[in-house]
Amino acid sequence: EWTAGFRITCLLLPKPPLSVPELGLISQLFIDAKVFITEQGQIMTIMKFFAANVTTAGTTDMSAESLYKVRKKAEPKVCDAIEGILEEMLRVLREVYMVKGKKGA
């Protein structure tokens, strides 16, 4: 089993760190969109990585099982939070990275 040797804190300022349900949903979206490619039945491997290496709001320790359970059971407020994050990611892509590409930077 691979261990990164570091912890990632989910911070997208000015928003507080992601909650466990938010991390579970965004992880599942990356799987569904084929950003994280997993073999059949191997989703738990990704959840184990996040559980071992990511700190979320209100928790110092989370289990892969808790992430796995919440990944497809998102409440509307969780979906709204993730939608806001995705919109912010698109804004940054357009304003920072696409602009750099057009300028030849």
Side-chain angles (χ1 to χ4, degrees), residues 22-93:
E22 290 168 349
L23 179 60
L25 176 58
I26 203 163
S27 300
Q28 185 63 46
L29 288 172
F30 275 95
I31 292 166
D32 293 344
K34 306 285 190 257
V35 175
F36 299 153
I37 299 174
T38 62
E39 294 182 24
Q40 185 72 21
Q42 295 300 313
I43 292 174
M44 188 58 86
T45 303
I46 292 173
M47 300 303 150
K48 286 179 182 177
F49 172 82
F50 282 123
N53 297 292
V54 177
T55 302
T56 58
T59 60
T60 55
D61 197 28
M62 77 181 121
S63 70
E65 291 78 16
S66 65
L67 277 175
Y68 186 84
K69 287 178 185 175
V70 300
R71 75 190 204 289
K72 289 191 172 184
K73 298 178 181 175
E75 296 178 7
K77 68 178 183 175
V78 172
C79 293
D80 290 344
I82 296 303
E83 183 177 34
I85 291 167
L86 295 172
E87 288 171 349
E88 177 64 10
M89 291 171 76
L90 286 171
R91 184 196 65 76
V92 171
L93 174 68

